[in-house]
Amino acid sequence: MTRGTAHLAVYDTFADWETGHTTAHLTRNGFAVRTVGLTTTPVTSMGGLTVRPDLALTELRPEDSALLVLPGATQWDAGDELAPFARTARAFLDAGVPVAAICGATAGLAREGLLDDRAHTSAVSFYLAATGYAGGAHYTDADAVTGRDLITAGPTEPVAFAREVFGRLGVYDEKKLDAWYRLFHDSDASAYEVLQG
């Protein structure tokens, strides 16, 4: 039985490695993962993978989702093409459905005003400041941050990003979540036994 559906946004140049831990372990723990694009036309990731989105963004509804994941992409800083994903993130947050954004997606959410009054992080504070957003006082210098249903992380923290997602969705209890993080972030082999227990 599925625990719900997590939607992974995909667009040309999306950073495929940033969400690998998140999607793999959600799938392993009963969640369905579906991809969503601007359209259902295939896109190519930064790593050269071709992905045909399962559905178009206009078909995505917050009530059909447990989570929206927004990976980084060069397009987040190259114009407004991905702005519809930021507007969809607003609809998700307004509906109380969590959103997880990493790397350049955080800048897209900053431009949309979604970081103005929530704790958040990104690559560095001045990266977001360059967007002209009003949320600088809420910037936290941390690997990953959860602020009122919005999870953010910088580009070098896919494991911390996944940990925040798993904590928000209740994928693991606190003890297993800590063990998962120690195993995948710190290469602590002793944590494996906790995960198997």
Side-chain angles (χ1 to χ4, degrees), residues 10 35 40-43 50-55:
V10 293
T35 55
T40 56
T41 301
V43 298
T50 300
V51 177
R52 179 183 298 278
D54 294 316
L55 68 156

Side-chain angles (χ1 to χ4, degrees), residues 3-190:
R3 295 174 68 180
T5 301
H7 289 91
L8 171 65
V10 293
Y11 20 76
D12 283 329
T13 75
F14 78 93
D16 39 23
W17 66 91
E18 291 177 343
T19 60
H21 288 288
T22 300
T23 56
H25 290 275
L26 286 176
T27 300
R28 290 184 68 186
N29 286 279
F31 287 85
V33 175
R34 297 189 69 205
T35 55
V36 57
L38 285 171
T39 67
T40 56
T41 301
V43 298
T44 304
S45 75
M46 204 175 291
L49 302 177
T50 300
V51 177
R52 179 183 298 278
D54 294 316
L55 68 156
L57 190 59
T58 56
E59 301 173 89
L60 181 62
R61 302 177 322 162
E63 58 267 29
D64 297 332
S65 188
L67 172 74
L68 174 61
V69 180
L70 301 172
T74 57
Q75 288 183 305
W76 282 111
D77 296 319
D80 294 331
E81 184 177 349
L82 300 184
F85 285 98
R87 289 192 292 273
T88 297
R90 176 179 294 283
F92 268 61
L93 293 170
D94 287 349
V97 179
V99 173
I102 187 169
C103 189
T106 62
L109 298 189
R111 288 184 196 95
E112 181 65 20
L114 296 176
L115 306 184
D116 288 352
D117 60 356
R118 289 179 173 86
H120 62 275
T121 194
S122 185
V124 288
S125 60
F126 56 82
Y127 171 64
L128 292 183
T131 68
Y133 86 129
H138 300 286
Y139 184 88
T140 303
D141 189 13
D143 295 343
V145 171
T146 300
R148 292 192 0 252
D149 288 329
L150 179 60
I151 297 160
T152 53
T156 61
E157 296 300 335
V159 177
F161 181 68
R163 177 194 60 202
E164 295 298 305
V165 168
F166 303 156
R168 175 60 184 81
L169 295 183
V171 173
Y172 299 114
D173 63 33
E174 189 174 327
K175 184 177 178 182
K176 284 191 175 182
L177 184 60
D178 175 67
W180 183 90
Y181 185 73
R182 286 187 293 115
L183 179 63
F184 287 96
H185 186 267
D186 303 329
S187 299
D188 180 354
S190 69

